[in-house]
Amino acid sequence: MTELQCVETSGHRVLIIEDEGMVAMLLEDMLVNLGYEVVAIASRMERAAELVTHADIDVAILDVNLNGELTHSLASALESSGVPFVFVTGYSSASLPDSFRVAPVLQKPFLQSTLKRVLGEIMKR
């Protein structure tokens, strides 16, 4: 990791909401490699809702479907509190409700370079 990468992302705290263990671990590794701090990983809606409400985070990575439950309510809560987020899904953005069609989407599988680009874009907003 270059010094510039550390400066760009240092202090940015990320919440991962993902029910697939391997994807969550991969995301965590990618984020740490990019210089982000992973605050928590939630794989259940109840825990995710608690963290969205109470955790001190700068950005969230949000699986669209968490154990069969859509995470749109979590996205709405993040949006209301001004916390940027990116959806992660195996589907296209067309599967999202109209209100979230403009939200950034990482389509599984994705590369670390794509994650870096998307997070960089939403952190500038």
Side-chain angles (χ1 to χ4, degrees), residues 5 30-31 33-34 106 110-121:
Q5 286 173 313
M30 288 179 175
L31 289 163
N33 286 340
L34 292 171
L106 282 171
F110 53 86
L111 301 172
Q112 181 173 305
S113 59
T114 307
L115 176 64
K116 178 183 177 181
R117 179 185 52 77
V118 169
L119 287 176
E121 289 171 3

Side-chain angles (χ1 to χ4, degrees), residues 19-101:
D19 61 351
E20 293 181 39
M22 292 299 291
V23 174
M25 289 187 333
L26 180 62
L27 261 171
E28 182 177 29
D29 286 347
M30 288 179 175
L31 289 163
V32 169
N33 286 340
L34 292 171
Y36 290 90
E37 177 187 350
V38 175
V39 173
I41 299 172
S43 61
R44 304 245 180 250
M45 279 295 278
E46 184 176 296
R47 178 68 175 142
E50 179 183 314
L51 288 165
V52 163
T53 303
H54 300 294
D56 180 18
I57 58 173
D58 299 306
V59 65
I61 298 175
L62 180 63
D63 190 354
V64 171
N65 185 330
L66 199 64
N67 294 306
E69 292 183 69
L70 296 176
T71 58
H72 303 147
S73 62
L74 300 174
S76 293
L78 289 163
E79 195 171 58
S80 293
S81 61
V83 175
F85 63 90
V86 58
F87 282 118
V88 176
T89 183
Y91 304 100
S92 74
S93 59
S95 65
L96 296 172
D98 289 342
S99 59
F100 292 119
R101 290 255 170 92

